[in-house]
Amino acid sequence: MHKILSTALGCLLLAGFGCGQQPAPQPPSGSSATPAATNPGTKLRIALIPKGTTHDFWKSIHAGGVKAARELGNVDLIWRGPEKEDDREQQVSLVQNFVSTGVSAIVLAPLDEKALVAPVRQAMAAKIPVVIIDSGLDGEPGKDYVSFAATDNYKGGSMAGERR
């Protein structure tokens, strides 16, 4: 899982802050802040939004995100998510709040492939790159979000079947 988070954070850095399709995020209106992408001494504020915060799986996602942020060195990781894995309204609200506060990027494990489309598009329209992890989003990679990183469950099942 650490590898997926490192990949997601790496995608954000490449796609959102240098080599990819999306320009660097701009500070919120009225702000005099300089985007971290143009000021190497400034840490990137990346929001990591899981499906929930209490299950061990999501705790491992958090640990992987913290480790990846430490390895990258210029990332301030913000960990927030719904307490329960069925609270899509809270997850939508979290994405909207991060857009309004002007984070540098968002890594999101969407609870609902349709309910999170509009907030993710709002983030991208605000020049905040979004990487989707774990479960898909009903949108187009490269347009509605920067990238998608997840386990290949089909391949994993095939490998498990071959190993029995």
Side-chain angles (χ1 to χ4, degrees), residues 18-77:
C19 303
Q21 302 168 5
Q22 297 297 321
Q26 299 301 309
S29 300
S31 170
S32 60
T34 303
T38 60
N39 186 352
T42 304
K43 283 193 167 191
L44 300 171
R45 293 178 54 241
I46 298 179
L48 176 52
I49 307 171
K51 290 181 181 178
T53 56
T54 57
H55 192 277
D56 285 342
F57 176 75
W58 298 115
K59 290 177 183 179
S60 73
I61 294 289
H62 181 218
V66 168
K67 183 176 180 190
R70 280 189 196 133
E71 288 173 1
L72 291 167
N74 68 332
V75 174
D76 181 18
L77 186 72

Side-chain angles (χ1 to χ4, degrees), residues 64-137:
V66 168
K67 183 176 180 190
R70 280 189 196 133
E71 288 173 1
L72 291 167
N74 68 332
V75 174
D76 181 18
L77 186 72
I78 305 163
W79 169 260
R80 295 239 174 41
E83 190 171 315
K84 295 183 178 182
E85 291 186 36
D86 64 353
D87 194 347
R88 75 178 54 87
E89 290 81 20
Q90 185 181 12
Q91 196 179 47
V92 166
S93 178
L94 284 167
V95 174
Q96 291 170 333
N97 288 340
F98 282 126
V99 171
S100 68
T101 61
V103 294
S104 304
I106 297 171
V107 177
L108 172 67
L111 275 168
D112 185 306
E113 68 181 18
K114 297 197 183 306
L116 276 296
V117 171
V120 168
R121 285 182 179 156
Q122 291 168 351
M124 293 289 286
K127 308 291 187 231
I128 299 171
V130 179
V131 170
I132 302 300
I133 63 168
D134 187 58
S135 296
L137 187 71

